[in-house]
Amino acid sequence: MAGHFEATPGGGAAVALDEVEISILRSLAVQLLELIGPGETPADGEDPLAALFAEGPSKPPSDPALARLFPDAYGGPDGPVPEEKSAEELRELSAEFRRFTENDLRSRKREDALAVVRTLDALSPDGSGAAVLTLTADECRSWLGSLNDLRLTIGTRLDVSDEGEGEEGSLYRLPDSDPRKPMVMAYLWLGALQETLVETLMP
């Protein structure tokens, strides 16, 4: 179990983590929360249901990492390209889609990252600082979403493209003197955790 997730009864998963790994994962999740930003809280006397119908931004974020987490729905790297649509029409379609979906997407990503922090905070490490993290099926889905968000964010900072399998291989060969090395090691480790967690969720 050390270093990778294994399936548990009931659709959950478990992984053994040492004190340093717990600290790194928690720190990364907190940084992700700071990047995503706080949620909107209703003012005193304001109807909480009104937040459900609040419109979000229409323009993509200026931060490249946030733009990767919240890409344009049309014409971007992750979105479809409708036929016979001009670049201006694609921008308008993406802006309209973003206005009504980005707030919910941010909320979901925020909840996933909070789930990571909460489950790590609930651990009871042994004398060496190690512990076994055991997740329910719902927590697995939150962790999977957050691990993906963390890799997208770090990958953006490292200029790793989605098609860059060769790039990822070259990351293993970075010299220890390269200032990107700690971030690269975190990126590769998170990828291994994500892969084994996906495997536990497969039927």
Side-chain angles (χ1 to χ4, degrees):
M1 183 186 297
H4 63 273
F5 279 99
E6 293 183 3
T8 59
V15 62
L17 300 170
D18 62 31
E19 187 175 14
V20 173
E21 291 169 333
I22 294 169
S23 177
I24 291 173
L25 281 168
R26 191 185 190 285
S27 176
L28 290 173
V30 169
Q31 291 178 61
L32 180 61
L33 283 167
E34 292 172 351
L35 179 66
I36 293 170
E40 296 294 331
T41 55
D44 291 340
E46 183 180 347
D47 183 359
L49 291 177
L52 295 176
F53 302 98
E55 292 184 5
S58 59
K59 295 181 180 180
S62 58
D63 185 311
L66 279 175
R68 189 66 190 84
L69 292 177
F70 305 103
D72 278 337
Y74 300 98
D78 300 312
V81 181
E83 293 182 5
E84 300 179 358
K85 295 288 185 183
S86 68
E88 180 60 30
E89 288 173 319
L90 290 177
R91 281 193 293 271
E92 290 176 359
L93 285 171
S94 292
E96 188 73 3
F97 188 82
R98 184 181 295 278
R99 282 174 54 216
F100 295 106
T101 61
E102 184 169 313
N103 284 348
D104 285 343
L105 185 55
R106 278 182 182 264
S107 179
R108 188 171 77 239
K109 290 180 181 298
R110 193 180 298 113
E111 285 301 316
D112 286 345
L114 281 170
V116 171
V117 173
R118 290 174 183 140
T119 51
L120 292 172
D121 285 348
L123 289 177
S124 299
D126 59 23
S128 67
V132 174
L133 173 71
T134 303
L135 304 175
T136 65
D138 285 342
E139 289 169 342
C140 283
R141 285 186 282 273
S142 291
W143 265 76
L144 194 57
S146 208
L147 287 172
N148 187 61
D149 289 343
L150 285 170
R151 292 196 80 235
L152 286 174
T153 300
I154 296 174
T156 301
R157 301 297 193 220
L158 292 170
D159 289 325
V160 177
S161 68
D162 290 339
E163 298 82 17
E165 291 187 11
E167 293 176 66
E168 193 160 313
S170 68
L171 294 178
Y172 285 99
R173 297 187 291 275
L174 280 180
D176 291 342
S177 58
D178 193 304
R180 298 173 297 166
K181 186 76 171 185
M183 192 181 294
V184 165
M185 296 307 295
Y187 176 79
L188 296 173
W189 174 54
L190 291 171
L193 285 176
Q194 182 182 17
E195 182 178 358
T196 58
L197 183 53
V198 168
E199 289 172 355
T200 69
L201 299 178
M202 294 175 68

